[in-house]
Amino acid sequence: MCGIWTPDRLRDASVSLSITQVDAFTDVPFRGNPAAVCLLPAERDAAWMQLVAREMNLAETAFLLRRDDGFALRWFTPTVEVELCGHATLASAHVLWEEGHLPPGETARFHTRSGLLTAMLRDGRIWLDFPALHATPAEAPDDLVRALGAPIRHFGVNPIDSLAEVDSEETLSGLRPDLVALRRLGGRGLIVTCRGRDGAGYDFASRFFAPGAGIDEDPVTGSAHCCLGPFWSERLGRTELTGYQASARGGFVTVRCRGERVELGGNAVTVLRGTLLDSASAS
């Protein structure tokens, strides 16, 4: 039988899932970084989740499954499952509180491929507790310098990304990297950063390119700030910093460095709620 969706079949579909689109690291709709959040009633296989993420075609789609001690959480780009994602975790916490799955005063606990992550509502923002990702200094590959198209002042690598410092926001905003060449270099992505200009209201700026993960440029990357926070904390001599991700959408992340952990603070706005019809259950 072919999978044609008639009105009767829409009513009779045995499985439908709510899916919510949230703009993270912003308090204004259509800014920050969009993520889809899907709360699952039961386990689903990774292949299905990947297909849903491809259908949503956002930087990340998050899948939550309730456990006795919190929620299992997995993140998918349109092409791959990832080890760590900040903005989709922030979006997931926002959905849990906003839709009443957790009371506002309760800590959200997420069991992930990067261990236990938590989120709390405090000071009018959502605060994520994430691992610090320290960048080990290294020599920048010649191919990377050519792909970036700009001089690199400092280069380092952490367990999932590379980090390159450039000289100014003018250089940062003018970057038009060779994404095909970046994809060949491997790893999840490249964080490019610089010190914030005087009077800007933030301490550092960044952009994040991850063509190998199916994301040419990510709008606002929480996990990149797990590296950016310690990097700029060491240079600026402060443990609390504000970062601005200078993408077309733009967004702000507050970072508090706590040794081997970082706290990432930001806001989130729901922009869309819908129902995902599981056609596999009625094919």
Side-chain angles (χ1 to χ4, degrees):
M1 179 180 178
C2 64
I4 299 173
W5 286 98
T6 65
D8 286 341
R9 291 191 71 196
L10 287 171
R11 284 193 296 270
D12 294 340
S14 60
V15 177
S16 63
L17 305 172
S18 64
I19 194 157
T20 305
Q21 186 168 319
V22 175
D23 289 342
F25 293 116
T26 179
D27 55 6
V28 179
F30 315 124
R31 302 281 289 178
N33 201 352
V37 179
C38 183
L39 190 61
L40 299 172
E43 289 274 5
R44 296 303 302 257
D45 63 76
W48 179 86
M49 287 187 273
Q50 186 65 74
L51 288 173
V52 173
R54 188 176 70 182
E55 186 75 11
M56 297 307 298
N57 200 32
L58 299 172
E60 306 285 347
T61 297
F63 296 90
L64 292 164
L65 180 65
R66 187 181 288 275
R67 293 176 29 163
D68 291 340
D69 55 349
F71 293 84
L73 172 59
R74 296 173 74 171
W75 312 279
F76 290 79
T77 78
T79 59
V80 296
E81 184 174 7
V82 297
E83 298 290 326
L84 186 66
C85 179
H87 86 278
T89 305
L90 189 143
S92 296
H94 169 80
V95 167
L96 291 177
W97 289 315
E98 185 177 67
E99 297 184 358
H101 303 290
L102 282 180
E106 185 172 335
T107 298
R109 295 169 54 86
F110 300 112
H111 300 273
T112 78
R113 294 172 69 164
S114 292
L116 176 65
L117 308 175
T118 62
M120 297 180 63
L121 275 175
R122 190 173 69 242
D123 306 325
R125 281 181 284 186
I126 297 172
W127 288 92
L128 306 177
D129 184 333
F130 268 43
L133 298 175
H134 299 280
T136 302
E139 184 174 350
D142 291 339
D143 288 347
L144 174 60
V145 176
R146 286 193 291 271
L148 195 58
I152 294 175
R153 299 179 66 175
H154 178 90
F155 180 75
V157 294
N158 69 40
I160 57 176
D161 296 317
S162 301
L163 180 143
E165 181 189 358
V166 296
D167 60 356
S168 68
E169 284 196 58
E170 182 179 6
T171 299
L172 182 73
S173 62
L175 292 175
R176 300 294 183 270
D178 182 338
L179 297 172
V180 174
L182 285 184
R183 188 180 296 113
R184 288 198 297 264
L185 291 170
R188 186 186 69 158
L190 174 68
I191 307 163
V192 187
T193 187
C194 67
R195 188 185 298 247
R197 64 183 185 277
D198 291 342
Y202 46 86
D203 299 294
F204 60 87
S206 67
R207 293 173 69 186
F208 183 70
F209 305 99
I215 306 165
D216 288 348
E217 181 170 2
D218 197 36
V220 189
T221 315
S223 57
H225 285 75
C226 295
C227 181
L228 288 162
F231 180 82
W232 285 109
S233 177
E234 181 179 331
R235 283 152 182 77
L236 300 178
R238 300 202 312 278
T239 58
E240 182 166 337
L241 304 157
T242 299
Y244 173 64
Q245 193 151 333
S247 65
R249 292 174 64 103
F252 293 91
V253 183
T254 302
V255 187
R256 292 175 177 169
C257 298
R258 302 284 187 266
E260 294 307 308
R261 306 293 295 181
V262 295
E263 291 184 343
L264 307 176
N267 297 100
V269 182
T270 298
V271 295
L272 179 68
R273 290 191 180 96
T275 301
L276 178 65
L277 299 174
D278 185 0
S279 59
S281 69
S283 57

